Amino acid sequence: MPGTSERIARLLDEGMAAIAAARGESDLLDAKGRFFGKKGAVSAILKGVAALPADERRAVGELANRARAGLESAFDARLAEIREKERLRSEGRERIDVTLPGRGPMPGHRHPVSQTMSDIISVFRRLGFSVHGGPDVEKDYYNFEALNFPPEHPARDMQDTFYVESTAGDLVLRTHTSPIQIRTMERMKPPVRIIAPGTVYRSDSDITHSPMFHQVEGLAVDRDITMADLKGLLTEFCRMTFGPGKPLRFRPSYFPFTEPSAEVDIRCVICGGSGCRVCKESGWLEILGAGMVDPAVFGFVGYDPEEYAGFAFGMGVERIAMLRHGISDIRLFFENDIRFLSQF
Amino acid sequence: MKIPYSWLKEFVDTRLSPAQVQEALTMAGVEVSSCRFLGEGLDSVVTARIIEMRPHPDADRLSLCKVTDGSTTFGIVCGAKNMKAGDAVALAKIGARLPNGVEIKKAKIRGQASEGMLCSEQELKLAEASAGIMILPEDTDPGKPLADALGLSDWLLEVEITPNRGDCLSVLGVAREIASITGEKVVLPGVPFPEEGEPIGDLVRIDVSDPDLCPRYTARAISGVTIAPSPDWMRRRLALCGIRPINNIVDVTNYLLLEVGQPMHAFDLDRLRGSRIDVRAPKETLTFTTLDGAERKIDPGMLLIRDAEGPVAVAGVMGGENSEVVDGTTRVVFESAHFSPPSIRRTAKRLGLSSEASYRFERGVDPAGTVYAADRAVSLLSRFAPLSVAKGVIDVGGGNVKPRTVPFRPDRATRIMGRVYAPEACAEIFGRLGFPVSDDGTGTWNVTVPTNRFDIEREIDLVEEVARLSGYDSIPTTYPESKAPEFSVDDRSVDVQERAFDFLRGRGFSQAVNFSFVAGRTWERLGALLGFSPADAVRVVNPISDDTTLMRPHLLTGLLSNAADNVRRFVDDVRLYESGKAFGKSYAEGHFEEPRLGVILCGKRLPGDWSGADAPADFFDMKGVVEPLLRHLCASPVHVVPTRLRPFFEEGKAADILRDGEAVGWFGAIRRELLDSFELTGPVFYAEIRLAKAAASPPPPGRYAPLPKFPPVFRDVACVFPAGVPVGDVLAMVRVVSPEVEEAAVFDIFTGEKIGEGNKSVGIRVKLQPLDRTLTDAEVHSIHSKIVNLLENRFGGKIRTS
């Protein structure tokens, strides 16, 4: 039946056009339904093939099958095309800008003095020292007298003292953390191994002196402690704090509560020893004071200096923080400018 | 103290260069902080003489000078007018680079060639200011390096003397120290002078009525004196060491103070009433005018030098106007005494008057050196000009000066220092120090210590001498034997703080450190707003400024000013915390100090966030930091309750944090008036936690409870309450309605017309979690009814049905 084959050819053209024109998946499925789905026109012809005269059956069947196959492959291709387009479109819509900042607070910053103090404490705690504190408003006895600063001794001039109103007139703002040595030794018997961090006060103010600053004090008392032990401990501390390869220099000095006393210098961390403004051309930076506990101090706390020996050391935390971070004006520490704090 | 190297060399002819002296002294404990070549920048500056001087043809203010250095003549254009032909001047030749940095080049000034420059003292950095060019003494030979002509081919050492080493406060003392290091010998200059006057006893009578305060008093007298300037070399040395030259008599006393460390005083003998000196502390209070013109109140116990009628000097501190040497003085008594250090220090402190003399007496002046100093003064003066020296010396207490002996065990040094010091090595060091040793074979030596060494009284002092002169470099490094460390209360405080710092850092807070002292005037001005009476504050007696008069009673004002400062610098989002002590007085304990943690928050809720617009932080942002912080510090359970006790907070926006009924902290919105006074606008939230109280006694470790095996049931209840009902209380009560209620949480809260003025709607989600079964509908219904009942009857709520 020539009519049938013409119809098949027309359906094929129409179907192909519908597939090509489909804009989305539903258009496409709609076209499939109309032409080659179960109830589609081509399928209907195929279903009718059996009823055709035998001589037409073969030709029509072949033609219709070919048309369906052509439509199916066009459908598949178009479907893939539409899905790809869809995917591309939705991807564009859902893709996020991963370079935008994340949500939630950004971390704050530790104060460099507090961080330095904390690092110093943790070094000594690892070396077997435990932390002890004491009052900021201190008795003259603990701040001076029991540390072997007699009342009319010029050594008292080494520290410009703030006095605090009190009825007995014997209160000062501690000028160093050393009174904690006395308070601790009064409380415990040797062996003693303590560090005493704290706030201290001296009436002095310029770019390297602040009326309030921080110190860490250390004290070890035992039967056989020597100055060589002190040297070893401080060498280890400096290695852990400033890194390896920085030689130390111990120089004789004077503190009323230690004898022999030493000042400890480290090879200038700025110029490496060739001389610069920071080390005043000496190649060395003074970082701490130390010495063997003076027998007079043991006398005040009831330790027998023939039986026990001890060493003590003390350092200014701000000074170490200034060296570590290259800060030249101590006053910056107390301004609490967030732009400053954010650098650490 | 400043010491010229050349002066040291007069006492110890050391082989050490100035730089080596600096290093050696520093490493022996006498720190030399600088060693400066005085002729720095004077390389091409020479002495010259002006041959001719005439005006510049084209410039009124300039002169043309012809100067000679003895061989060459130079034409110089000069702007100064203070010189004349024949004057000796300082000529900077072409190529000189002056101490002030100026480089001298050949120049044409207004058409006239200038072949160098005539220098002023200011340009040579020899003076702070100068009126014209430097005119040298008439007898100056031209053509010599200026440094030589001025004695500047020398080094100036700046020596820092620790308070124990009063003996080093002189050229002689430092020279002795060098000798102790190198083993070289100190040589004292001879003190020849003719002693041809009347016997001194006929001129003046001296008594020491308070020998405890004045163990030795030595005097020499001279007559026929003409007051005049000292020789240039002496004036120059005094000036280099920072002492202003005055006249020959005063200068020689100052010269000896610097040279041998003996403070001396010169009295005009004709002004001493009754020709008499009595060293005595008054029993009554009196006033006295010291030679600086100040009237001083003298209290009983302050040692005075008196003549027949009254005081003429404050002993060891400062002389008096009434007896000082004046232009017409012809007869002088020199005092060279030893005063007791504590007495001088007390007097100087009480008078608020510290002098070069008192500084040395406080630290100890060698009682054996008084006669030498007096003799040296007279000897020097008799070299300058003719005068007559009275026969003899008055020396009260001279026989009492005896060196002390100190026991020393050589093995003690080894024991303390941790390195071996051979007995011979110790003996050798004492030899260099000039400490005679006697060893009777018992193992304990007797070491004789000279009277200038006030710092050596005990064995440990000798150990130090051995150690420092052997060099600390030679001490090995060993490690103290390790012991199990204790874990102290303060170890725990440090750990708690670190936990707090880490937590706050994670929540975006940075750490501040403020002074513990605050400005009393802020407290007086804001008064009640700060919630602490200034009368209860710990006060500093001698504050360094008005900003440091009180010890802070809490951390609020410091953090508030930090917030204000940052906002002023365009940093609007402020999140800061501070850990520090608060101070106060209490009747029971005198004063207290307590560790606190202050936290301040203002600006945006989430700084830098791009999605949540610019929502400002509010009370609950602060609560959302403080509550979990306390939990993190193991400080739960804590309860947050409204408070009216903190006047620095807005009413109704303030809470106390209770632990076991005690306030361990508080937080809230800072009150408007307070913000105004700190020039802050936006709302500011503040919390302060009493760290030791909050985190005292960590709670026992958590107990395990079996995990539920049956599904939970959730029920939502929406209820309208009067606005004043505390939701926290509601939730707490809901949680105990039945054991099956595991959690009750707010999921929604709002106010508005819809629910009526003065009301709030609260949505509560309840989680029911049975441990041993699945809840039946009837059970759920029953619990729900109980909750509804509670909300309505206990809290006046009205269940909303949507």
Side-chain angles (χ1 to χ4, degrees):
Chain A
M1 232 178 84
T4 309
S5 45
E6 276 160 20
R7 234 179 94 225
I8 291 172
R10 209 180 59 238
L11 282 173
L12 182 63
D13 285 347
E14 282 175 15
M16 284 298 195
I19 286 170
R23 305 206 49 98
E25 248 182 272
S26 62
D27 287 356
L28 197 59
L29 288 171
D30 188 52
K32 181 180 175 180
R34 274 193 291 136
F35 297 99
F36 64 98
K38 274 183 188 153
K39 292 177 181 165
V42 179
S43 309
I45 291 173
L46 274 169
K47 271 182 203 150
V49 166
L52 288 177
D55 58 332
E56 286 182 29
R57 223 181 269 168
R58 194 181 144 83
V60 170
E62 223 167 84
L63 210 57
N65 268 324
R66 223 182 301 140
R68 191 171 71 174
L71 286 168
E72 267 175 359
S73 73
F75 172 89
D76 287 348
R78 181 63 187 151
L79 183 64
E81 216 175 280
I82 286 173
R83 286 203 170 151
E84 176 62 12
K85 242 185 206 159
E86 191 66 23
R87 193 179 65 76
L88 287 175
R89 196 165 45 231
S90 78
E91 220 175 46
R93 206 177 331 110
E94 285 173 17
R95 180 180 294 158
I96 55 167
D97 179 358
V98 297
T99 66
L100 274 172
R103 194 166 290 133
M106 293 304 277
H109 304 270
R110 262 309 271 281
H111 193 286
V113 169
S114 171
Q115 184 64 61
T116 302
M117 179 121 135
S118 176
D119 294 345
I120 295 169
I121 292 172
S122 76
V123 166
F124 284 109
R125 283 178 80 181
R126 265 184 278 162
L127 295 169
F129 286 70
S130 74
V131 179
H132 285 256
D136 290 27
V137 177
E138 185 55 281
K139 285 192 158 65
D140 182 278
Y141 176 80
Y142 289 107
N143 195 75
F144 291 123
E145 209 176 326
L147 287 164
N148 197 30
F149 289 81
E152 293 301 340
H153 199 277
R156 290 196 172 208
D157 293 349
M158 292 165 87
Q159 304 171 355
D160 292 326
T161 310
F162 285 116
Y163 295 89
V164 166
E165 260 181 25
S166 66
T167 40
D170 65 340
L171 292 182
V172 300
L173 294 181
R174 65 176 172 202
T175 56
H176 45 187
T177 38
S178 312
I180 300 170
Q181 290 185 28
I182 305 297
R183 288 181 172 275
T184 310
M185 287 191 281
E186 278 184 350
R187 263 202 317 268
M188 49 200 277
K189 289 289 148 218
V192 171
R193 260 190 191 219
I194 62 150
I195 42 162
T199 309
V200 301
Y201 308 85
R202 290 184 198 176
S203 186
D204 204 353
S205 183
D206 58 37
I207 68 163
T208 54
H209 295 89
S210 170
M212 185 193 97
F213 60 103
H214 298 81
Q215 280 189 341
V216 176
E217 185 91 1
L219 171 72
V221 182
D222 209 339
R223 284 183 206 282
D224 41 19
I225 295 250
T226 68
M227 189 126 167
D229 292 338
L230 171 66
K231 245 183 128 171
L233 181 83
L234 293 178
T235 303
E236 191 56 20
F237 162 72
C238 288
R239 195 185 59 78
M240 286 164 96
T241 304
F242 293 101
K246 303 246 169 21
L248 288 188
R249 179 173 90 162
F250 285 68
R251 265 185 300 120
S253 188
Y254 168 73
F255 306 104
F257 43 101
T258 53
E259 184 154 7
S261 301
E263 258 164 8
V264 183
D265 301 335
I266 190 169
R267 180 62 81 197
C268 180
V269 295
I270 312 290
C271 65
S274 57
C276 66
R277 204 179 47 83
V278 175
C279 62
K280 295 185 188 120
E281 305 300 330
S282 71
W284 295 97
L285 293 167
E286 186 186 320
I287 49 161
L288 51 83
M292 301 303 289
V293 179
D294 194 291
V297 172
F298 282 157
F300 280 100
V301 298
Y303 286 10
D304 178 0
E306 288 292 314
E307 185 178 357
Y308 295 108
F311 61 67
F313 55 87
M315 64 194 91
V317 181
E318 277 78 359
R319 169 143 178 95
I320 292 175
M322 287 168 86
L323 292 175
R324 263 179 142 191
H325 299 291
I327 297 165
S328 53
D329 186 341
I330 198 171
R331 290 169 295 202
L332 281 167
F333 287 133
F334 305 99
E335 285 170 7
N336 301 309
D337 187 330
I338 289 174
R339 299 167 307 173
F340 170 78
L341 296 173
S342 306
Q343 298 177 16
F344 309 101
Chain B
M1 191 179 56
K2 295 188 173 84
I3 299 182
Y5 177 72
S6 61
W7 204 346
L8 281 173
K9 289 276 272 188
E10 288 174 15
F11 285 81
V12 57
D13 190 17
T14 182
R15 59 180 183 273
L16 301 185
S17 69
Q20 287 169 327
V21 165
Q22 177 180 26
E23 171 77 8
L25 284 172
T26 298
M27 294 311 286
V30 178
E31 188 182 350
V32 181
S33 58
S34 80
C35 171
R36 184 167 66 85
F37 180 59
L38 294 169
E40 198 69 63
L42 302 183
D43 289 349
S44 299
V45 184
V46 298
T47 56
R49 193 168 296 280
I50 300 177
I51 305 170
E52 183 191 307
M53 178 173 158
R54 57 190 172 83
H56 189 290
D58 301 319
D60 293 347
R61 293 186 308 157
L62 299 178
S63 313
L64 299 182
C65 297
K66 259 192 196 150
V67 303
T68 177
D69 66 358
S71 50
T72 314
T73 303
F74 300 85
I76 309 284
V77 181
C78 186
K81 294 271 188 220
N82 66 320
M83 66 290 193
K84 58 181 190 305
D87 279 348
V89 292
L91 169 67
K93 293 187 179 172
I94 305 297
R97 183 182 279 276
L98 299 184
N100 67 357
V102 170
E103 200 174 333
I104 305 301
K105 294 183 188 129
K106 189 160 183 155
K108 256 200 172 150
I109 301 169
R110 294 283 180 102
Q112 299 291 327
S114 189
E115 302 166 298
M117 186 173 99
L118 303 184
C119 304
S120 71
E121 281 166 294
Q122 187 186 7
E123 283 155 345
L124 298 174
K125 287 224 169 162
L126 298 172
E128 292 290 316
S130 41
I133 62 161
M134 183 178 191
I135 308 292
L136 299 169
E138 248 173 75
D139 58 358
T140 304
D141 289 332
K144 288 207 308 190
L146 183 71
D148 290 348
L150 297 180
L152 296 178
S153 291
D154 197 356
W155 287 259
L156 192 64
L157 306 178
E158 177 101 46
V159 189
E160 316 283 340
I161 308 292
T162 53
N164 58 326
R165 293 301 303 273
D167 64 292
C168 283
L169 287 168
S170 64
V171 176
L172 171 61
V174 174
R176 280 192 179 124
E177 194 62 26
I178 294 171
S180 303
I181 297 166
T182 60
E184 292 160 328
K185 287 277 161 284
V186 166
V187 180
L188 288 180
V191 284
F193 55 88
E195 211 173 327
E196 292 157 346
E198 290 176 67
I200 189 167
D202 295 353
L203 295 173
V204 62
R205 180 180 149 202
I206 296 181
D207 295 296
V208 176
S209 303
D210 277 309
D212 287 349
L213 304 183
C214 176
R216 188 174 190 185
Y217 197 100
T218 302
R220 274 223 177 251
I222 53 175
S223 54
V225 172
T226 307
I227 301 295
S230 304
D232 282 333
W233 62 266
M234 180 178 278
R235 294 163 56 87
R236 212 151 46 216
R237 273 195 173 163
L238 290 174
L240 268 180
C241 298
I243 290 184
R244 192 165 55 90
I246 295 171
N247 61 43
N248 48 358
I249 300 298
V250 175
D251 288 355
V252 85
T253 61
N254 284 330
Y255 190 80
L256 280 153
L257 172 125
L258 295 173
E259 187 175 73
V260 299
Q262 172 67 55
M264 293 177 68
H265 188 64
F267 294 103
D268 183 333
L269 178 52
D270 295 306
R271 299 177 76 194
L272 286 178
R273 294 156 296 189
S275 299
R276 178 154 166 28
I277 282 175
D278 185 12
V279 186
R280 173 200 291 273
K283 301 220 166 11
E284 71 289 357
T285 299
L286 47 94
T287 59
F288 172 64
T289 305
T290 42
L291 53 75
D292 57 0
E295 189 167 285
R296 311 275 173 182
K297 182 168 155 284
I298 306 295
D299 292 326
M302 293 185 179
L303 191 64
L304 294 177
I305 312 297
R306 310 170 74 118
D307 64 9
E309 290 173 31
V312 292
V314 182
V317 181
M318 196 172 274
E321 251 182 357
N322 59 0
S323 61
E324 69 174 316
V325 169
V326 290
D327 283 347
T329 297
T330 59
R331 299 198 301 161
V332 172
V333 176
F334 286 112
E335 163 197 290
S336 176
H338 176 68
F339 298 110
S340 133
S343 153
I344 297 295
R345 182 174 164 86
R346 256 193 312 272
T347 302
K349 280 259 146 178
R350 293 252 286 284
L351 294 178
L353 177 62
S354 178
S355 62
E356 292 281 350
S358 69
Y359 189 82
R360 283 171 176 75
F361 279 125
E362 282 178 21
R363 283 158 179 76
V365 169
D366 184 3
T370 57
V371 172
Y372 178 79
D375 288 353
R376 171 100 168 124
V378 170
S379 165
L380 281 169
L381 280 172
S382 60
R383 266 163 54 194
F384 306 160
L387 51 79
S388 161
V389 180
K391 266 200 204 76
V393 59
I394 292 177
D395 187 14
V396 183
N400 302 335
V401 179
K402 294 210 173 57
R404 124 183 16 94
T405 57
V406 177
F408 177 77
R409 294 163 290 174
D411 58 346
R412 187 71 185 158
T414 299
R415 157 77 188 78
I416 297 283
M417 304 306 293
R419 66 148 273 198
V420 175
Y421 295 94
E424 308 76 55
C426 297
E428 194 267 332
I429 284 168
F430 293 141
R432 280 193 261 152
L433 283 163
F435 296 1
V437 174
S438 91
D439 176 6
D440 58 7
T442 59
T444 301
W445 300 354
N446 281 313
V447 179
T448 304
V449 179
T451 50
N452 63 320
R453 293 299 302 269
F454 283 77
D455 59 323
I456 296 177
E457 295 176 302
R458 305 165 300 165
E459 182 181 48
I460 192 72
D461 303 324
L462 291 171
V463 169
E464 179 176 55
E465 293 300 294
V466 168
R468 74 181 182 91
L469 291 174
S470 306
Y472 282 3
D473 288 350
S474 68
I475 300 167
T477 55
T478 56
Y479 297 92
E481 193 189 324
S482 82
K483 300 258 161 71
E486 52 151 357
F487 187 78
S488 68
V489 177
D490 294 310
D491 278 306
R492 180 170 148 71
S493 316
V494 165
D495 292 344
V496 165
Q497 276 193 31
E498 289 293 328
R499 278 177 82 88
F501 297 170
D502 282 348
F503 177 89
L504 287 164
R505 183 181 140 92
R507 297 294 295 263
F509 287 80
S510 294
Q511 187 179 21
V513 175
N514 284 294
F515 286 160
S516 308
F517 16 56
V518 290
R521 67 186 134 73
T522 307
W523 287 79
E524 269 132 35
R525 183 162 53 82
L526 298 171
L529 271 185
L530 293 174
F532 199 95
S533 163
D536 294 332
V538 175
R539 269 172 197 279
V540 179
V541 175
N542 55 337
I544 198 166
S545 76
D546 284 355
D547 293 327
T548 64
T549 54
L550 298 186
M551 298 305 284
R552 59 182 178 190
H554 49 53
L555 275 47
L556 172 61
T557 51
L559 285 167
L560 264 182
S561 20
N562 298 155
D565 290 346
N566 277 295
V567 169
R568 203 172 305 123
R569 297 176 197 120
F570 306 100
V571 179
D572 295 325
D573 302 312
V574 177
R575 287 172 172 238
L576 288 172
Y577 70 92
E578 177 176 13
S579 167
K581 282 177 178 174
F583 301 80
K585 284 196 286 196
S586 76
Y587 292 107
E589 298 155 83
H591 82 274
F592 69 84
E593 328 187 333
E594 186 179 66
R596 299 270 178 91
L597 183 67
V599 184
I600 199 162
L601 166 62
C602 70
K604 290 191 277 293
R605 170 168 297 161
L606 269 179
D609 187 53
W610 42 270
S611 58
D614 275 354
D618 68 16
F619 180 90
F620 297 99
D621 290 295
M622 183 53 102
K623 189 177 181 188
V625 170
V626 172
E627 246 186 343
L629 169 64
L630 286 167
R631 203 162 299 155
H632 186 67
L633 299 183
C634 317
S636 54
V638 292
H639 300 285
V640 173
V641 298
T643 181
R644 288 163 172 274
L645 296 174
R646 319 279 166 205
F648 37 83
F649 288 144
E650 289 276 5
E651 219 176 308
K653 291 185 184 168
D656 271 358
I657 306 163
L658 305 182
R659 189 186 191 199
D660 298 331
E662 186 182 23
V664 297
W666 43 87
F667 63 96
I670 294 294
R671 192 157 154 176
R672 184 82 264 151
E673 297 94 305
L674 206 48
L675 293 184
D676 288 346
S677 75
F678 281 87
E679 290 172 28
L680 280 161
T681 48
V684 174
F685 302 91
Y686 179 73
E688 188 158 322
I689 294 164
R690 303 170 69 194
L691 262 189
K693 295 269 184 199
S697 62
R703 299 290 305 176
Y704 162 75
L707 298 175
K709 293 193 176 64
F710 299 90
V713 176
F714 293 93
R715 276 287 174 277
D716 289 354
V717 190
C719 187
V720 174
F721 294 106
V725 169
V727 175
D729 291 1
V730 173
L731 295 176
M733 293 297 287
V734 170
R735 284 182 199 122
V736 295
V737 155
S738 145
E740 283 76 25
V741 178
E742 190 187 80
E743 181 47 27
V746 175
F747 66 86
D748 177 42
I749 191 158
F750 66 89
T751 56
E753 274 174 31
K754 220 169 85 183
I755 52 163
E757 187 71 19
N759 287 334
K760 61 184 170 192
S761 168
V762 182
I764 298 171
R765 171 158 300 172
V766 183
K767 181 184 182 190
L768 306 176
Q769 177 66 69
L771 270 181
D772 50 358
R773 64 193 190 286
T774 301
L775 286 177
T776 64
D777 285 352
E779 282 175 311
V780 172
H781 185 75
S782 154
I783 296 169
H784 183 84
S785 304
K786 277 190 203 162
I787 291 171
V788 168
N789 195 25
L790 172 82
L791 300 183
E792 291 188 336
N793 298 333
R794 175 73 186 263
F795 293 105
K798 210 166 155 298
I799 300 299
R800 292 179 66 214
T801 44
S802 45

